[in-house]
Amino acid sequence: MQPTNTLHLGNYLGALKNWVKMQDQMPCLFCVVDMHAITQDVGYAHAEELTRSTREVAAAYIAGGVDPTRSPIFNQGQVPEHGELAWIFNCVARLGWMDRMTQFKEKSGKHKERASVGLYTYPVLMAADILVYRATHVPVGEDQKQHLELARDIAAKFNNDFGVPDFFPQPEPVITGTGTRVMSLRDGSKKMSKSDESDNSRINLTDDADAIADKIRRAKTDPHPLPGTKEELAGRPEAENLLNIYAALSDQDRDAVIIQFAGQNFSTFKTALADLTVAKLGPITAEMRRLLADPAEIDRVLKAGAHKARAIATPIMDEVKKTVGFIT
Ligand code: AMP
């Protein structure tokens, strides 16, 4: 995750909650991508906020259930191999490939010439983040699938150009949180997002119980009672979103939640949803606050994680450098 602004319920249900489960299936590394975070906002005015936000994401990883003794947690800036490999990949990737990246077009907006070069080559750094560990599986949201495809193309071209057929694997996307796309509490057709102007549109992982309950109480709904079947949810994005959140937080199938609240009014359902959200998020946010009260301890976790990550990345980078022809 990028350390920019505050984390919200969408980040938890759509990403973190699922990542935590991956630890039981395969060895994992969890990175806070501070180098990606400076592609849009850079300068002294942002430096302090970047440090704060990096610690907050690390605290969320730990409080959400990532176990740093099993899975290294680190910030990208402490593992120089990411940047080293990204440079080599910049020379492997073709301009034509980069010009097709839709996220750059969205993020740079109308004034492409004013965007940083870093924003343009962001997907190349992402390829390096993955392949510097020869990672095989990457949990990504739908919006990152194109970047992962680029990572596969870069891996294949490197292997081909240097005659090392199996050097880099083809990383597979693991689309996490099946269906858990959390939408804004103010507009069910928009994703819950940290960039939304209205703080009432999202539940932040730093919100306390009162703020959570209040935001759910104010969440936009429609005038009808809750539906009895999933077909009746059509055209009711706000009702669908709140039911999805309930299902994801309670680890239930959405159909079961629809049956549970069929025909009830929103105020009853919102009370149940607020109680559930506070019960599930409360322990996580409390643990985050406890961790953030001791930044030096978080920094120690990040340093130890970076050390473990480098132990994997350094031998791979040594081979890359030899393959490219650098004297090491
Ligand atoms: P971001 O910092 O917005 O790039 O998001 C970090 C992670 O959270 C990514 O894996 C996103 O796919 C996920 N994420 C962000 N917003 C949402 C949302 N509203 N619903 C579900 N997942 C989300």
Side-chain angles (χ1 to χ4, degrees):
M1 278 187 206
Q2 266 197 58
T4 35
N5 302 324
T6 307
L7 296 177
H8 54 73
L9 185 66
N11 298 130
Y12 176 65
L13 290 178
L16 185 55
K17 187 166 184 270
N18 307 292
W19 298 355
V20 166
K21 292 186 198 142
M22 288 180 79
Q23 292 179 108
D24 298 326
Q25 294 152 10
M26 59 189 92
C28 297
L29 294 120
F30 293 93
C31 185
V32 185
V33 291
D34 50 4
M35 288 164 68
H36 283 281
I38 60 167
T39 55
Q40 281 184 288
D41 294 318
V42 71
Y44 76 92
H46 302 285
E48 206 175 305
E49 175 57 19
L50 178 64
T51 307
R52 188 204 64 76
S53 191
T54 301
R55 290 189 184 122
E56 187 181 302
V57 175
Y61 285 1
I62 301 167
V66 175
D67 173 1
T69 62
R70 276 164 76 198
S71 317
I73 296 176
F74 59 99
N75 60 304
Q76 197 183 17
Q78 278 200 86
V79 182
E81 287 74 16
H82 288 243
E84 284 186 320
L85 186 58
W87 178 256
I88 294 170
F89 282 173
N90 269 326
C91 303
V92 171
R94 305 288 95 181
L95 273 182
W97 301 357
M98 304 307 296
D99 283 340
R100 285 197 287 274
M101 295 296 117
T102 54
Q103 199 173 82
F104 175 73
K105 289 178 197 160
E106 281 161 28
K107 286 193 175 172
S108 59
K110 287 197 195 101
H111 299 288
K112 186 175 132 184
E113 65 285 358
R114 287 189 209 155
S116 74
V117 178
L119 186 67
Y120 186 68
T121 64
Y122 174 119
V124 174
L125 177 58
M126 180 170 154
D129 297 337
I130 299 162
L131 293 167
V132 80
Y133 304 104
R134 288 201 177 114
T136 53
H137 293 79
V138 190
V140 288
E142 281 291 331
D143 52 343
Q144 291 293 332
K145 269 175 82 177
Q146 192 187 31
H147 290 169
L148 196 60
E149 205 53 54
L150 182 90
R152 293 162 66 88
D153 290 344
I154 291 175
K157 185 160 161 55
F158 181 97
N159 292 352
N160 185 59
D161 288 358
F162 290 101
V164 283
D166 300 316
F167 190 81
F168 285 121
Q170 286 279 290
E172 302 278 345
V174 180
I175 301 289
T176 55
T178 31
T180 319
R181 194 157 177 254
V182 182
M183 310 308 277
S184 156
L185 298 180
R186 307 300 306 160
D187 177 353
S189 64
K190 272 180 21 194
K191 239 174 84 166
M192 183 176 284
S193 161
K194 55 194 171 194
S195 53
D196 196 311
E197 276 170 24
S198 163
D199 192 56
N200 282 328
S201 71
R202 65 185 158 260
I203 293 170
N204 301 310
L205 293 189
T206 45
D207 284 344
D208 61 18
D210 287 347
I212 292 174
D214 193 49
K215 285 177 180 179
I216 292 177
R217 214 174 12 251
R218 289 160 180 252
K220 187 177 167 200
T221 52
D222 57 45
H224 309 291
L226 284 150
T229 62
K230 68 169 182 263
E231 287 72 26
E232 288 166 29
L233 265 183
R236 301 182 64 186
E238 284 81 20
E240 183 170 9
N241 185 37
L242 296 180
L243 286 163
N244 281 346
I245 294 174
Y246 194 98
L249 280 172
S250 61
D251 286 311
Q252 289 185 82
D253 197 59
R254 196 187 58 191
D255 291 350
V257 179
I258 293 178
I259 293 167
Q260 188 182 342
F261 292 99
Q264 297 199 22
N265 59 31
F266 272 106
S267 66
T268 315
F269 173 59
K270 280 178 166 181
T271 305
L273 180 60
D275 289 348
L276 176 69
T277 312
V278 169
K280 293 286 177 177
L281 284 190
I284 296 171
T285 56
E287 178 63 2
M288 272 179 74
R289 280 194 290 275
R290 191 189 69 75
L291 290 163
L292 288 167
D294 185 0
E297 179 53 27
I298 298 180
D299 293 359
R300 272 192 290 278
V301 170
L302 290 170
K303 194 169 272 309
H307 191 72
K308 288 187 205 160
R310 291 197 76 187
I312 304 170
T314 312
I316 295 173
M317 262 325 281
D318 283 347
E319 276 190 69
V320 169
K321 287 177 189 171
K322 282 194 196 100
T323 304
V324 170
F326 292 166
I327 295 169
T328 55

